[in-house]
Amino acid sequence: MMAYKTCSTLLAVSCLALAAATPVAQAQTADAGAYLATVHKHHLVTSTVPANGDQNPYAMVVAPVTAGVVQKDDLLVDNFNNRGNLQGTGSTIIDYRPSTGQTSLFATIPHNLPGCPGGVGLSTAMVMLKSGWVIVGSAPSTDGTTKTLGPGCLIVLDATGKVAGTIAGPEIADPWGNMAWIDNGGTATLFVSNAGFGIGAPGQPVQNSATVLRIGLSIPAGKPPQVTSKTVIGSGFSAQADASVFLIGPTGLTLGKDGTLYVSDAIGNRVVAIPDAAARTDSAATGTLVSKDGLLNRPLAMDMAPNGHLLVVNGLNGQVVEIDPVTGKQLGAQWIDADEAQTPPGSGDLFGLVVNPTGKGFYYVEDDVNTVVQAQ
Amino acid sequence: MSGEKLNAPSRRSFFGVAGGLAGGVAGAMVTRAQASPILPQDMSEAAEPFYGAHQAGITTPMQDSLYFASFDLAATSRQDVVALLQTWTAAAARLTAGLPAEPGMQDDNEPPLDSGEAMGLKASRLTITFGFGPDIFTLDGKDRYGLATKRPSALVDLPVFNGDQLVDGQCGGALCVQACANDPQVAFHAVRQLARLSYGAATLKWVQSGFATANKTQGTPRNLMGFKDGTMNPAGAAMEDAVWAGPEGPAWMQGGSYMVARRIRIALEHWDRMRVAFQEQTFGRQKASGAPLGGKAEFDAPDFNATDASGNYVIPETSHMRLAAPANNGGAQILRRSYSYNDGANFVAERWPPWHQGIEYDSGLFFQAYQKDPRTGFITIFDKMSKIDALNQFTTHVGSAIFACPPGVRKGGYIGQALFETA
């Protein structure tokens, strides 16, 4: 990443001009109590490009356990594009090991995977469970656009990166956003956004057909997870095919301690809440509004900071925004990718974000240079 | 032809103008170094020595103009390849001395001994550098000339690098001829003559012209992005050690060098919209002085550990200079000898956000790196750069080639002779 001066959005224009003289990273947030006010240092930790040339890192997960070839606290990152930079065709997951600073290839998934209609293009949906199983979403294309969009699936991998199964069906259409989950070891619950229902080719109007699906899993010892239930708990979210960024839809999912699921609605430019997400038996439609517009500029991946605030990255600039989910107040933003090669700086560069459970800040991808950066 | 004396009329006398080339000037140019002061006018038009332990045009101070040609071989026998190289050697010796390509008196009923467009022009520090590409050793699995076992292990097929968008018509080849001169017409003339003399034995595969400021500006030349290009080039003994192949490889390449050539298209229109401060962050250097960020002068040692008050690096982690520095590549060194190019304008779709599309300059850098072993030189350095260099947002590699440039020619010999005549 470039070492830029980072600023609150309200100061962005003047701050970027100042960066010419002093290219330093400095968090300046609107509220002194904000988590982002403690984040100053941005350090590139790895390239995400594996030997096969896959591009465009999307999902990130920090390993909760040591299993197979993965060590606890490793960072798994998947790729959405292939070497030719065609979206919806990436098939690899890399493993960055903070303890050694080394990066290796964790998995290469066959493009023609039985049980995954349309092929493989790894999305922002990924989790590693305590049992060692890795589950990753596919929102596949064959030509880099949604003209050839298939419904995709969730792919189950063992802890050595081998495909162990798939999860598909009529409720699943291009599992897209970063997952939220509850992991009890022998059982687990996944929350997945499905953005592909009826979006068609680029140029089509917005479809209000995206869902949030809760998937119950049973995980017998030594055996792959088995689906025990599928429940639509959110529906009517906006999604649209896009010539530049493939598709736009609900992208960030994160679970609050009280069981509320927060969803970033990229087209609605807002964050909403679905209460009682783990237990409800019906759809909350598009939930209740938490925060809208302001510093948000096409919110994408989202996670929860140690202080309980939401961190959500913008798709149309290089900022991460901090929101108090209780009050809905936007506490500030930090320009974590101020790459001026894009206008506005960082536009289109951010996607995946994950808070490091070890307490060492958060990781985010920079799609402009195919890297992962650690912010502390 | 290989043993002839260079006593034929010069191009100037051939053209009917009195006066020949000052042989003594050529002798004054035997000391080759990469960085050079501005040469006086008479020196800039002088002749570079053709014969020597090493080929000219590698560590020779850069000239103004480049004309590069890659050839396929049509020759069906080893003898025909040798004959071609003998012909080329003789012609190159004459051309670099400012003479017409072929000796003798013109018979008007025959095609010209020299196409003539360089008549009246001086040698202009012309150098002609030859290289052998992988295709001379084997082509489609066939060992056409009994050379397969002599291919140096260092002459690797370049790996596919991240972001490569290579165009078939701008890659590879069996032979290369590189002419550099202080006059573009002299450079083109030289390649044109050699191509003409290769009819039946070799065919043009692709060409590239280029230009540089090295001969006219003080210090390190600037590329089309406006930055100095080659500041980190090794010098002196370090350069000798980095560039010339030694006993670690086959004897026929000792004293030679491996050339990696990359045609790098630059999105100049995109670059021109960037603030200077951002450009400097991208390169890791100040634009005007060439100093590393945090430094004051071009050749200040970069402080890669320097951080600001927040702990972020003063020289960004994805900056071009940080990634290219020997200190960050296990000491890997290459000699950069690159020329800018400008081939008009055509349609392009940039590969980075915001994905500009339209008619843009087909301009950039014909990058050249010389080294004793590309595996520990260019490949080592560029693998990481190809993935995370912030400059990649403005550059795309569209052409690629590697050639083994054999050692220099002794009088009476021909280029690459040891390759063909050793057991």
Side-chain angles (χ1 to χ4, degrees), chain B residues 113-136:
Chain B
L113 297 170
D114 187 291
S115 54
E117 74 270 30
M119 290 179 188
L121 298 176
K122 293 184 178 180
S124 303
R125 295 191 57 233
L126 171 68
T127 56
I128 298 175
T129 312
F130 298 95
F132 300 147
D135 292 354
I136 198 173

Side-chain angles (χ1 to χ4, degrees), chain A residues 271-286:
Chain A
V271 172
V272 298
I274 296 176
D276 197 21
R280 67 180 308 129
T281 57
D282 62 349
S283 170
T286 57

Side-chain angles (χ1 to χ4, degrees), chain B residues 177-193:
Chain B
V177 175
Q178 171 160 293
C180 298
N182 283 337
D183 186 305
Q185 191 145 316
V186 169
F188 175 67
H189 169 259
V191 171
R192 182 182 173 192
Q193 302 318 299

Side-chain angles (χ1 to χ4, degrees), chain B residues 301-323:
Chain B
D303 184 351
F304 295 116
N305 296 316
T307 55
D308 59 24
S310 297
N312 295 298
Y313 287 113
V314 172
I315 300 174
E317 292 175 287
T318 57
S319 65
H320 183 72
M321 184 269 279
R322 173 185 284 273
L323 296 170

Side-chain angles (χ1 to χ4, degrees), chain A residues 1-4 16-17 19-20 23-26 40-44 47 49 53-55 83 85 244-245 338-342 347-349 367-371, chain B residues 160-165 270 274-275 277-278 280-283 293 308-314 316-319 351-356 387-390 393-394:
Chain A
M1 55 89 63
M2 310 289 288
Y4 304 100
L16 285 168
V24 297
Q26 180 180 349
H40 303 288
K41 186 175 178 182
H42 299 257
H43 173 57
L44 188 159
S47 163
V49 181
D54 273 5
Q55 309 273 304
R83 171 184 293 282
N85 227 357
S244 293
V245 298
D339 186 346
E340 296 175 44
Q342 292 82 49
S347 178
D349 294 347
D367 288 342
D368 46 344
V369 282
N370 294 299
T371 55
Chain B
V160 177
F161 292 103
N162 185 50
D164 276 359
Q165 293 189 2
H270 193 180
M274 300 297 105
R275 294 183 310 119
F278 174 77
E280 292 178 334
Q281 292 268 300
T282 303
F283 265 91
L293 296 183
D308 59 24
S310 297
N312 295 298
Y313 287 113
V314 172
E317 292 175 287
T318 57
S319 65
R351 67 188 177 100
W352 295 99
W355 304 284
H356 288 303
K387 294 172 181 169
I388 62 174
D389 187 348
Q393 297 176 97
F394 305 92

Side-chain angles (χ1 to χ4, degrees), chain B residues 294-360:
Chain B
K296 295 180 178 177
E298 177 183 0
F299 294 102
D300 285 355
D303 184 351
F304 295 116
N305 296 316
T307 55
D308 59 24
S310 297
N312 295 298
Y313 287 113
V314 172
I315 300 174
E317 292 175 287
T318 57
S319 65
H320 183 72
M321 184 269 279
R322 173 185 284 273
L323 296 170
N328 298 320
N329 288 285
Q333 290 265 30
I334 55 176
L335 177 67
R336 296 162 179 82
R337 198 177 194 278
S338 305
Y339 284 80
S340 297
Y341 77 87
N342 187 348
D343 289 347
N346 51 39
F347 180 84
V348 69
E350 293 179 22
R351 67 188 177 100
W352 295 99
W355 304 284
H356 288 303
Q357 295 186 21
I359 301 297
E360 298 186 1

Side-chain angles (χ1 to χ4, degrees), chain A residues 283-358:
Chain A
S283 170
T286 57
T288 58
L289 181 65
V290 175
S291 187
K292 182 177 172 65
D293 297 334
L295 298 174
L296 296 175
N297 201 347
R298 188 182 287 174
L300 299 176
M302 183 165 61
D303 205 353
M304 190 160 282
N307 65 357
H309 293 168
L310 298 170
L311 299 178
V312 57
V313 296
N314 282 333
L316 292 179
N317 62 32
Q319 293 188 323
V320 58
V321 179
E322 180 171 353
I323 301 169
D324 181 339
V326 176
T327 65
K329 183 179 181 182
Q330 296 177 7
L331 301 174
Q334 186 175 128
W335 211 301
I336 57 175
D337 184 321
D339 186 346
E340 296 175 44
Q342 292 82 49
T343 305
S347 178
D349 294 347
L350 298 176
F351 213 111
L353 173 144
V354 63
V355 172
N356 192 336
T358 64

Side-chain angles (χ1 to χ4, degrees), chain A residues 113-117 127 129 134-138 151-157 163-175 179 190 192 194 213-218 224-230:
Chain A
L113 193 62
C116 197
V127 63
L129 301 172
V134 174
I135 301 175
V136 61
S138 172
C153 66
L154 293 168
I155 302 164
V156 181
L157 307 169
V163 175
T166 56
I167 300 170
E171 309 90 343
I172 290 178
D174 304 292
M179 277 193 223
L190 309 182
V192 180
N194 293 278
L213 183 68
R214 186 181 69 219
I215 301 173
L217 298 177
S218 168
Q226 303 295 315
V227 176
T228 55
S229 65
K230 294 178 183 172

